[in-house]
Amino acid sequence: MSSTLEQPRASRHAVGVRLCGVTRVFAGGVHAVDAMDLAIMPGEFVALLGPSGCGKSTLLRLIAGLDRADAGRMELINASGDRAMQMAYVFQDAHLLPWRSVLCNVELPLELAGVARAERRQRALALIEQVGLRDAVQRYPAQLSGGMRMRVSLARALVTEPSLLLLDEPFAALDEITRQQLDSQLRQLWLDRGMTVIFVTHSTNEAVFLADRAVVFSARPARIVLDCALDLPAQRAQHTRTSPPFVAAMRRLYEALEAGGAS
């Protein structure tokens, strides 16, 4: 019998992703992604791992519509069958506007969407509270630590209530304690909201803690070496990282990375 506790239901607005034969070739004939088939169900939290330069970030950009495939097709359909959706992307750098306060940075997507000032302020303050920055509402990016800036970036992404959240190694540059704190916050936000999350990382520890499914890619051009469920409790704490199932899952991902050509 599986030890995984009951997983959260997908939000009715959560978006699934289906890639069929997706290929992206850069100048000089470099195949970043070659005939990729991958399906992600609405409400899943999926970690993507692989060697540097294997095409993980390219794949994320293709899903986000920031780049265009040379071949193949991609579908985005939510759990209710409605194609309407909201997508958010979190980069490795927080990309905050230095002349805007924490509150004004988080409000920005709603402001650009024409949401009334009172509503966008209420929604932004609620997200700032959720990511633990209530006391920093009026500070500016230069007054924040790296971890705090990334919390602002995460709040700004979530303020639009996205159906699909894409994250490209957002915590990679942070110290280990801050990174683990943000992992815990992100995991809880996903449990609370039920959106689909696709998270690119090089860390097997981070992948196993955050996700319920991991996809390991080979060296470029990426092919899937391993696609597996992570059989762990839905609620995870720091002690989860030292449990035998967690360590076994990390070992399995590490071995897949080695088999795929990671160095």
Side-chain angles (χ1 to χ4, degrees), residues 145-177:
S145 67
M148 293 170 77
R149 287 194 293 271
M150 192 50 67
R151 282 184 169 91
V152 178
S153 180
L154 187 57
R156 183 178 58 189
L158 291 171
V159 78
T160 59
E161 300 180 353
S163 312
L164 175 60
L165 180 62
L166 307 172
L167 303 104
D168 191 0
E169 296 190 77
F171 310 147
L174 303 177
D175 65 84
E176 190 64 21
I177 292 176

Side-chain angles (χ1 to χ4, degrees), residues 24 32 47 50 67 72 105 126 140 149-150 155 173 176 184-185 187-188 194 204 211 213 244 262:
R24 180 68 174 101
D67 196 3
N105 265 288
Y140 289 84
R149 287 194 293 271
M150 192 50 67
E176 190 64 21
S184 295
Q185 281 193 318
R187 174 80 189 175
Q188 190 59 51
T204 56
R213 177 183 166 200

Side-chain angles (χ1 to χ4, degrees), residues 102-259:
V102 167
L103 177 60
C104 291
N105 265 288
V106 175
E107 283 185 327
L108 183 60
L110 301 179
E111 183 180 335
L112 295 174
V115 175
R117 185 175 184 273
E119 180 184 348
R120 70 176 186 250
R121 182 136 301 188
Q122 180 182 21
R123 288 168 61 178
L125 286 170
L127 258 300
I128 291 168
E129 173 84 24
Q130 276 192 283
V131 299
L133 290 177
R134 178 177 58 184
D135 296 335
V137 169
Q138 297 303 331
R139 293 190 200 174
Y140 289 84
Q143 299 171 303
L144 306 176
S145 67
M148 293 170 77
R149 287 194 293 271
M150 192 50 67
R151 282 184 169 91
V152 178
S153 180
L154 187 57
R156 183 178 58 189
L158 291 171
V159 78
T160 59
E161 300 180 353
S163 312
L164 175 60
L165 180 62
L166 307 172
L167 303 104
D168 191 0
E169 296 190 77
F171 310 147
L174 303 177
D175 65 84
E176 190 64 21
I177 292 176
T178 302
R179 184 171 183 162
Q180 290 189 11
Q181 290 171 343
L182 286 172
D183 285 347
S184 295
Q185 281 193 318
L186 177 57
R187 174 80 189 175
Q188 190 59 51
L189 286 165
W190 172 71
L191 288 170
D192 292 341
R193 290 167 175 261
M195 69 270 188
T196 308
V197 179
I198 306 175
F199 190 99
V200 168
T201 181
H202 280 100
S203 168
T204 56
N205 188 299
E206 185 168 62
V208 174
F209 185 86
L210 278 173
D212 288 302
R213 177 183 166 200
V215 180
V216 179
F217 297 120
S218 68
R220 189 177 65 220
R223 60 181 176 82
I224 296 175
V225 178
L226 177 69
D227 184 346
C228 69
L230 298 170
D231 190 19
L232 293 165
Q235 293 289 345
R236 298 173 193 175
Q238 292 310 316
H239 63 77
T240 306
R241 297 180 189 267
T242 58
S243 67
F246 190 96
V247 174
M250 279 184 56
R251 184 182 304 113
R252 188 179 183 193
L253 296 188
Y254 183 81
E255 289 171 353
L257 285 167
E258 279 195 316

Side-chain angles (χ1 to χ4, degrees), residues 1 12 15 33 35 42 52 61 78 113 144 167 205 221 239 258 260:
M1 182 180 294
R12 66 179 299 273
V15 168
V33 180
S52 296
R61 290 175 62 85
N78 74 14
L144 306 176
L167 303 104
N205 188 299
H239 63 77
E258 279 195 316

